[in-house]
Amino acid sequence: MRQAGPVAPERFEVAVTPPYPVRVGPGVLSGLASLTPGGRVALIADENAGARYGDEAADALAADGRQVLRLRVPSGEDAKRIEVWAELLGRLARAGFARDDAVVALGGGVTCDLAGYVGAAYMRGIAVVHVPTTVLAMADAAIGGKTAVNLPEGKNLVGAFWQPRAVLMDVRTLRSLPPRVFMQGTVEVFKHGLLADPALAEAVVSGALAPDADDAALTRWLAASGRVKAAVVAGDAREDGARAHLNLGHTLGHALEAASGHRLTHGDAVAWGLLYAAYLSPRVLDVDDAEEAQALVRRLIRTVAPAPPPAASWDELAPFLGRDKKTRGGRRHWVLMRAPGRPTLQHGVPEDAERAAWEAFLADPVQAERAAAELPAAKGEA
Amino acid sequence: MRQAGPVAPERFEVAVTPPYPVRVGPGVLSGLASLTPGGRVALIADENAGARYGDEAADALAADGRQVLRLRVPSGEDAKRIEVWAELLGRLARAGFARDDAVVALGGGVTCDLAGYVGAAYMRGIAVVHVPTTVLAMADAAIGGKTAVNLPEGKNLVGAFWQPRAVLMDVRTLRSLPPRVFMQGTVEVFKHGLLADPALAEAVVSGALAPDADDAALTRWLAASGRVKAAVVAGDAREDGARAHLNLGHTLGHALEAASGHRLTHGDAVAWGLLYAAYLSPRVLDVDDAEEAQALVRRLIRTVAPAPPPAASWDELAPFLGRDKKTRGGRRHWVLMRAPGRPTLQHGVPEDAERAAWEAFLADPVQAERAAAELPAAKGEA
């Protein structure tokens, strides 16, 4: 058996019904079988994670006497299609999977969303275990039970709330991530810190959660992030109330992704969305100190170094903000901050405030810094 | 406004979380808008029900200021395909449906299953209202929240438990059913009577629930059937315990459907499945009076007049019984009856008992009666 090393895993529970355990640490993948129910297990992995960790996961299950069906899905957002999902369901059916069998998702957020929705739908729902292998998936997709695939008409339009039976975050799997991808994932970790854990936000902006961090730091901060998400989800499993706070930075972030033709990644877009929220909040709410959140997010952006947002006017951007974000009167609702640690869902924000915040956002000094920094890098990558 | 006539609707609630109302009676369709949430409503109807009742349903919604998207699906089991379901989801997306909009299913069991799964999946779940227009759909698909589509590998393999917000059973819609289809639907009503309501079972076998029954009788007996199902579902919304009793007659019924190449209809197959259960029960359980249930189901078969079961030996039939019905030791579990009103889920039934019950089932006098009765009818229909 593989040794877990000197760093002890962190453990906590997501207190939905039924509650499920989360394990964070180096080597927790070796405990996969004990947390996975079922005689047959469909191990659904994306190409990257499957090639690197698929054998270890399959061996851990087979050593416990499970019959393992290994299924490979493409890496990247394009895998989240109904056709891919339907093919996976057919594979389970042809292998004779029954209601007491299980799915293990091994990979990034796309794999967790897709394989989670396979588990949610097969025979109206079988057990799912998530083994996220990216910072973003550990911070976001693996905890909370949101599963989905895309339609040509939009992302995540088809899915289910389907809580996993367990989540294993083996921080060793982060060692193979490209540094840019690692850092983009830390934006969601920062968001959790901004919502509820100041020390966690500070860890991200100070560079303590970075590709060169040791196992102890990775374990500590990813567990801290997971605990924030678990607490929010446990209070609101179906997203009717406080769970909406997790969308901090996402309303504008999604619009930026769409307006850029999805050249801007999710993490980069949410980083900018958080900066925008820091400018919109004082225009709509009584805030203690408008500049506190702005300064904190500015440090995030200098740390994560997102690609610049698309150069769009408010009128060009507004159509991408999505009809479902509007209240009946035509005004949008936004997740805003009274102060770090004090989020609020604000209904009916006037468009003048949205527009003025966008102007202030464009005038923030980090915009010029990022644009200048990107130029040589963009040339180098081309 | 249309008058509901002198027969008052019956009302009851399915006590899941959140509870939802069921209305049964002539003319209850006119109250559709008040029980349907959402600004936009996708009215998903099969060809038969849509042609007959689609305008009335759409008008009732439009008169209340709703924006109605009318979607037509083919009649028959072939509509329950992932491709049809995905196309419906795309139509909702292109019409800009949001999380607070709704789906109304208008039609038989196929339409309730398919449209229900559209509602379950769109944006991870929006409100669904069922308006079943067949006896079978009123007795079975509309109450309980089981939604599904088929895979080429098997029926109902993909779906969700998704409770509707309301169920409207307008008994006038049964007036246009072919008498054979009406009677086949009464098999599930009888099953509910056999499980928990002797007067309801007697109503079916005595012909009180039949195409020529008046509105009062249709309302009374379909409400009684719905109340049995509602009570079972409320106790066990996700089918882990007592809900399994609703599968009485279905394990063998599904095998007969499959063994006949799906020429035998669901209602006919379940009628035979109930007779088989009446023969298997005394071979496995202490029963008060083995012949009581056999005699009652024999009366059902004379009333409903199902097509004969396929002429198969036990060894030919057994492969169609389904791997998921087997316990780990290779023995099957069956829903059996100690007496009318006393169902039980029996694990690990020995195969000798199954085989002996099949021989006794084939020797029952109704087999010869049905075979003789079918010959001229089959010729006439060919």
Side-chain angles (χ1 to χ4, degrees):
Chain A
M1 295 295 290
R2 180 184 293 266
Q3 290 299 311
V7 176
E10 296 216 26
R11 297 157 177 256
F12 55 95
E13 208 171 64
V14 184
V16 291
T17 311
Y20 55 92
V22 182
R23 302 273 182 277
V24 190
V28 295
L29 181 56
S30 63
L32 177 61
S34 68
L35 291 171
T36 304
R40 295 181 200 84
V41 180
L43 177 62
I44 303 179
D46 67 40
E47 285 165 4
N48 294 335
R52 288 179 192 275
Y53 314 109
D55 287 347
E56 182 181 346
D59 291 350
L61 293 165
D64 193 59
R66 313 306 178 86
Q67 200 176 316
V68 181
L69 174 67
R70 290 183 70 164
L71 299 171
R72 197 65 69 87
V73 295
S75 295
E77 189 71 26
D78 191 49
K80 278 176 63 175
R81 276 181 293 122
I82 284 179
E83 294 77 11
V84 175
W85 171 81
E87 172 58 24
L88 293 168
L89 289 163
R91 294 288 298 273
L92 267 63
R94 292 195 287 282
F97 271 58
R99 283 173 62 175
D100 53 359
D101 293 322
V103 166
V104 170
L106 175 68
V110 163
T111 308
C112 291
D113 286 358
L114 170 64
Y117 193 42
V118 169
Y122 187 71
M123 295 183 119
R124 301 193 185 93
I126 64 175
V128 171
V129 172
H130 284 306
V131 185
T133 60
T134 66
V135 176
L136 181 58
M138 290 183 187
D140 192 21
I143 294 178
K146 286 172 79 168
T147 71
V149 294
N150 302 328
L151 288 181
E153 289 81 6
K155 287 173 71 166
N156 295 327
L157 284 180
V158 179
F161 286 90
W162 190 247
Q163 300 293 342
R165 296 292 185 90
V167 180
L168 284 87
M169 305 186 183
D170 193 328
V171 298
R172 291 172 316 166
T173 64
L174 305 178
R175 299 291 174 202
S176 53
L177 284 183
R180 273 283 288 147
V181 174
F182 186 108
M183 290 311 295
Q184 289 170 333
T186 68
V187 173
E188 296 281 353
V189 176
F190 172 85
K191 182 199 73 182
H192 291 152
L194 189 60
L195 288 173
D197 184 345
L200 177 59
E202 183 62 30
V204 176
V205 300
S206 68
L209 177 61
D212 60 356
D214 61 18
D215 283 351
L218 294 179
T219 299
R220 176 178 178 188
W221 298 119
L222 286 163
S225 171
R227 285 193 172 95
V228 171
K229 180 144 190 195
V232 172
V233 166
D236 179 23
R238 286 200 57 84
E239 203 165 47
D240 300 314
R243 189 163 177 166
H245 295 165
L246 296 172
N247 286 325
L248 181 66
H250 281 63
T251 300
L252 190 91
H254 287 150
L256 294 176
E257 283 182 83
S260 76
H262 292 276
R263 281 190 301 276
L264 200 63
T265 65
H266 182 74
D268 285 0
V270 171
W272 293 117
L274 293 170
L275 185 63
Y276 179 76
Y279 279 105
L280 182 57
S281 297
R283 285 176 170 73
V284 180
L285 302 171
D286 278 335
V287 302
D288 301 340
D289 174 356
E291 290 180 16
E292 183 185 9
Q294 291 162 14
L296 194 58
V297 181
R298 204 176 290 122
R299 290 176 66 201
L300 171 77
I301 287 175
R302 288 177 177 137
T303 306
V304 172
S313 71
W314 181 253
D315 289 328
E316 289 164 338
L317 189 63
F320 292 100
L321 280 164
R323 169 149 54 170
D324 64 306
K325 306 293 183 195
K326 285 199 180 180
T327 55
R328 290 287 162 88
R331 292 177 166 194
R332 288 182 194 85
H333 42 259
W334 291 89
V335 183
L336 299 175
M337 302 291 297
R338 292 187 194 283
R342 292 173 57 207
T344 179
L345 179 61
Q346 187 72 22
H347 293 276
V349 171
E351 193 169 11
D352 323 355
E354 294 175 341
R355 186 185 300 273
W358 181 249
E359 297 301 328
F361 165 91
L362 291 177
D364 187 282
V366 287
Q367 299 288 356
E369 293 169 27
R370 289 303 313 137
E374 275 302 292
L375 283 178
K379 212 176 272 174
E381 283 170 13
Chain B
M1 295 293 291
R2 180 184 294 267
Q3 290 300 313
V7 176
E10 295 216 26
R11 298 156 176 255
F12 55 94
E13 209 171 64
V14 185
V16 292
T17 311
Y20 56 92
V22 182
R23 301 274 183 277
V24 189
V28 297
L29 182 55
S30 63
L32 177 60
S34 68
L35 291 170
T36 305
R40 294 182 202 84
V41 179
L43 177 62
I44 302 180
D46 66 40
E47 285 164 4
N48 295 334
R52 288 179 192 275
Y53 313 109
D55 287 347
E56 181 181 347
D59 291 351
L61 293 164
D64 193 60
R66 314 305 178 83
Q67 202 176 314
V68 181
L69 174 67
R70 290 183 68 164
L71 299 171
R72 198 65 69 87
V73 295
S75 295
E77 189 71 26
D78 191 50
K80 280 176 62 175
R81 276 181 293 123
I82 285 180
E83 295 75 13
V84 175
W85 170 82
E87 171 58 25
L88 292 168
L89 290 162
R91 294 288 298 273
L92 267 64
R94 293 195 287 282
F97 271 58
R99 283 174 59 175
D100 53 359
D101 293 323
V103 167
V104 170
L106 175 69
V110 164
T111 309
C112 291
D113 286 359
L114 171 65
Y117 194 40
V118 169
Y122 187 72
M123 295 183 120
R124 301 192 185 91
I126 65 174
V128 171
V129 172
H130 284 306
V131 185
T133 61
T134 66
V135 176
L136 181 58
M138 291 183 186
D140 191 22
I143 294 179
K146 286 172 79 169
T147 71
V149 294
N150 303 327
L151 289 180
E153 290 80 6
K155 286 174 71 167
N156 296 327
L157 284 179
V158 179
F161 285 91
W162 189 246
Q163 300 293 342
R165 297 292 186 89
V167 180
L168 284 87
M169 304 186 184
D170 193 329
V171 298
R172 290 173 317 166
T173 63
L174 305 178
R175 299 288 175 204
S176 53
L177 284 183
R180 272 286 287 148
V181 174
F182 186 108
M183 291 310 296
Q184 290 170 332
T186 67
V187 173
E188 295 282 352
V189 175
F190 172 85
K191 182 199 72 182
H192 291 153
L194 189 60
L195 288 173
D197 184 345
L200 177 59
E202 182 61 30
V204 175
V205 299
S206 67
L209 178 62
D212 60 356
D214 62 17
D215 282 351
L218 295 179
T219 299
R220 176 178 176 187
W221 299 120
L222 287 163
S225 171
R227 283 192 173 96
V228 171
K229 180 145 190 196
V232 173
V233 166
D236 180 23
R238 285 201 58 84
E239 203 166 49
D240 300 315
R243 188 163 178 166
H245 295 166
L246 296 172
N247 287 324
L248 181 66
H250 281 63
T251 300
L252 189 90
H254 287 151
L256 293 177
E257 283 182 83
S260 75
H262 292 277
R263 281 189 302 276
L264 201 63
T265 64
H266 183 72
D268 285 359
V270 172
W272 293 117
L274 292 170
L275 184 63
Y276 179 76
Y279 278 105
L280 183 56
S281 297
R283 284 177 170 71
V284 181
L285 302 172
D286 278 334
V287 303
D288 300 339
D289 175 356
E291 291 181 15
E292 183 185 10
Q294 291 162 13
L296 194 58
V297 182
R298 205 176 290 124
R299 290 176 65 201
L300 171 77
I301 287 176
R302 289 179 177 138
T303 306
V304 171
S313 70
W314 181 253
D315 289 329
E316 288 163 339
L317 190 63
F320 292 100
L321 280 164
R323 170 150 54 173
D324 63 309
K325 306 293 183 193
K326 285 200 182 181
T327 54
R328 289 289 160 87
R331 291 177 167 194
R332 288 182 193 84
H333 42 260
W334 291 89
V335 183
L336 298 176
M337 302 293 296
R338 292 189 194 281
R342 293 173 58 206
T344 179
L345 179 62
Q346 188 71 22
H347 294 276
V349 171
E351 193 170 11
D352 325 355
E354 294 175 340
R355 185 185 302 273
W358 181 247
E359 298 301 329
F361 165 90
L362 292 176
D364 187 281
V366 287
Q367 299 288 355
E369 292 168 27
R370 289 304 312 139
E374 276 301 291
L375 283 178
K379 213 176 273 174
E381 283 169 13

